[in-house]
Amino acid sequence: MARLSEMSSNRTVGKRLLDAREAALYLGLEVDTVYKKARLRGLPSVKVGRALRFDIRALDRLIEQNAKPIA
């Protein structure tokens, strides 16, 4: 399983598309939840062949748009 430090290194080498396992780690979710949210259009995803991939920039935008200010 990829560690968070490996996820950070992916950014430096320019990896933009994550697989479901990497997206789950990045978002702090279970892999099944990532697939379910993608199927329900709750997470932006793209099909690459038969594989589902998650654009890290789109995930960052989703996080920013849904972040609630700390009161």
Side-chain angles (χ1 to χ4, degrees), residues 3-4 13 24 31 36-37 40 45 49 51 56-57 59-60 65-66:
R3 294 185 313 252
L4 193 54
V13 296
V31 175
K36 182 177 181 180
K37 287 185 176 290
L40 297 173
S45 61
I56 199 163
R57 293 179 192 164
L59 295 177
D60 285 339
Q65 290 168 354
N66 291 294

Side-chain angles (χ1 to χ4, degrees), residues 31-60:
V31 175
D32 291 343
T33 304
V34 167
Y35 280 119
K36 182 177 181 180
K37 287 185 176 290
R39 186 175 60 250
L40 297 173
R41 308 272 189 230
L43 278 180
S45 61
V46 294
K47 291 281 278 193
V48 178
R50 294 176 57 192
L52 200 57
R53 296 289 183 252
F54 300 86
D55 183 337
I56 199 163
R57 293 179 192 164
L59 295 177
D60 285 339

Side-chain angles (χ1 to χ4, degrees), residues 7-35:
M7 296 296 298
S8 298
S9 69
N10 285 343
R11 286 185 151 184
T12 61
V13 296
K15 183 172 181 180
R16 183 170 170 184
L17 295 178
L18 306 177
D19 63 24
R21 182 182 52 80
E22 292 168 328
L25 181 65
Y26 187 72
L27 296 169
L29 299 172
E30 296 291 330
V31 175
D32 291 343
T33 304
V34 167
Y35 280 119

